[in-house]
């Protein structure tokens, strides 16, 4: 089963609880489309869950082409239904039919074991003053 969500790292963090829930209760194998530069972070996020795989994509259109004829749980703007982008986090969970409490209850990050996930050391900061859905 492919979970088709927005492809920004912040969206992956928000969806972590629902991905973990779906991979442990509904489907034994879940695939997540992701950009190549996010793959090391995602591998680390889910290193404790063998049921989660990754589909490296080059961008938005590549993801749509790869998933157009495949069974997917489509979230957000990919859902094909009306949704509230101001409450996008809650909408992702509603569309996936996963209780919103899983956003927090299912969130888990394995500890770094004196190693770096990335080739160089980086700090993660996601900050934006304005969100424009039309960018996608």
């Amino acid at each position: 089963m492919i979970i088709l969500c927005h492809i920004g790292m912040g969206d992956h963090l928000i969806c972590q609880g629902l991905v973990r829930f779906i991979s442990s209760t509904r489907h034994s194998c879940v695939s997540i489309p992701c950009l190549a530069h996010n793959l090391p972070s995602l591998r680390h996020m889910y290193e404790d869950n063998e049921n989660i795989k990754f589909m490296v994509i080059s961008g938005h259109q590549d993801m749509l082409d790869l998933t157009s004829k495949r069974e997917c749980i489509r979230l957000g703007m990919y859902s094909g239904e009306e949704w509230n982008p101001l409450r996008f986090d809650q909408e992702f969970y509603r569309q996936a039919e996963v209780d919103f409490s899983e956003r927090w209850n299912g969130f888990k990050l394995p500890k770094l074991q004196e190693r770096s996930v990335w080739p160089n050391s980086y700090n993660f900061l996601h900050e934006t003053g304005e969100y424009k859905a039309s960018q996608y």
Side-chain angles (χ1 to χ4, degrees):
M1 176 60 66
I2 298 170
I3 299 178
L4 188 59
C5 189
H6 302 184
I7 56 177
M9 192 61 207
D11 298 302
H12 287 299
L13 287 166
I14 287 167
C15 289
Q16 193 198 83
L18 76 81
V19 169
R20 287 182 177 280
F21 182 84
I22 291 169
S23 72
S24 66
T25 62
R26 297 185 197 161
H27 298 281
S28 59
C29 184
V30 169
S31 295
I32 304 168
C34 69
L35 297 169
H37 67 267
N38 289 334
L39 185 59
S41 297
L42 290 169
R43 280 190 175 144
H44 175 68
M45 267 174 43
Y46 295 114
E47 71 183 12
D48 62 322
N49 189 326
E50 295 177 0
N51 295 344
I52 300 169
K53 309 295 181 207
F54 307 99
M55 299 170 60
V56 177
I57 56 169
S58 61
H60 176 78
Q61 190 59 51
D62 184 33
M63 177 178 68
L64 294 176
D65 293 343
L66 284 171
T67 60
S68 66
K69 295 184 176 159
R70 298 176 75 180
E71 186 178 4
C72 299
I73 297 172
R74 298 177 187 277
L75 306 177
M77 65 184 172
Y78 306 113
S79 69
E81 64 181 54
E82 283 193 40
W83 66 293
N84 181 353
L86 298 177
R87 302 244 183 236
F88 65 95
D89 56 344
Q90 294 173 20
E91 290 287 274
F92 291 164
Y93 282 77
R94 179 188 63 78
Q95 291 167 338
E97 298 178 352
V98 173
D99 191 278
F100 189 62
S101 65
E102 286 300 315
R103 177 175 178 193
W104 312 111
N105 297 337
F107 188 86
K108 178 179 176 184
L109 284 178
K111 293 189 183 212
L112 290 174
Q113 303 286 329
E114 294 296 319
R115 63 179 170 83
S116 178
V117 175
W118 306 274
N120 300 308
S121 296
Y122 293 96
N123 291 319
F124 181 81
L125 175 65
H126 183 254
E127 211 170 29
T128 181
E130 186 175 314
Y131 174 77
K132 293 183 180 176
S134 63
Q135 293 174 325
Y136 301 99

